[in-house]
Amino acid sequence: MSSFQLTDDNYYSREADIHYMSCSQYQAFQKCEAAEIAKLRGIWEPEQQSDALFQGQYFHAYFESPEAFEKFCNENFDKIYKTKTTKSRGTEVIGKYAPFEKLDEMIQAVLNDPLMFQIISWPGENEKPMIGEIGGIAWRMKMDKYCPSGRRIIDYKTSTNLRELFYNPITKTRQTFVEEFGYLMRAAVYGEIEKQNVGADNFPTFIILGVSKQTPPDKEVFLLNDETRWNLELENIKMKIPHIQRLKNGEENPRRCGECEYCRRTKQLHRFKMYTDLMPEFRNDPDNVEYDDYGGTSVFDTL
């Protein structure tokens, strides 16, 4: 286990990312190794946070605690609230921007539903962190809500449409948002780490409270427990983790995806390409794959 001491203040820091793997970091490596290594080295950050991520934080903060929600709104006042300034009354709040009015409607949809309200009322701890080990390295996680009695993990998810299907180019089939955004992988990791922390032989229950951004919002409670699938996800992670750790250690150079914000911003052309190189079947051709070279230095050297 890592000797780095996690706290509330450093949980989301670059140092924590270097010392601990997380589901978000693991997924980022699957998208673009070069971008994630650049972030870990402190030489690149996305220009701006995505609207979906920011809106998800607003939704999560509400269910964390009144204090957390008030703090989030105060710190992001200009992004959330519409104001009007007059000579007679000064500056006053006249409402919220449309995305946050929609999020308030989604929050009320949860509060007004008997089953959802029962679930969020279960005794437990919001934003509960835990650490564990998977694939021989240290992992960290923070559960939206953890209920020790009954060993239940609750995850809040907002989605454009809970029933939308996404095309998977590998399986050539359509899949739900649960598959598209890797929530079964996340459930498996959370379940394994929780199991290690409580010394149990069986997995906990993993529940998604899903709410859509439609008018009116759709809502569902999903149970993600699937021991066979979870074990498969964990085995897949264990196969990929050694390569990711070698990237962190500087033993291998990170591959550029060639499509993300980082790759576009740092792109340097070295040769002509055939138009056919744009086809998916040729993108993995060795001649089309590029890597960042850090000369064997480790991300740990940047601390």
Side-chain angles (χ1 to χ4, degrees), residues 15 38 60 87 122 124 141 156 164 184 191 198-199 235 280 299:
E15 291 79 8
H60 280 71
K87 288 184 179 179
W122 285 340
M141 69 172 186
Y156 306 120
E164 182 178 1
L184 282 164
V198 303
E235 287 304 313
V299 296

Side-chain angles (χ1 to χ4, degrees), residues 67-78 80-81:
E67 296 77 17
F69 187 62
E70 181 180 8
K71 182 174 183 288
F72 183 87
C73 290
N74 288 338
E75 290 177 348
N76 300 282
F77 187 90
D78 293 340
I80 298 170
Y81 295 100

Side-chain angles (χ1 to χ4, degrees), residues 158-169:
T158 59
S159 174
T160 303
N161 182 341
L162 296 175
R163 300 169 204 288
E164 182 178 1
L165 296 177
F166 302 84
Y167 179 72
N168 185 322

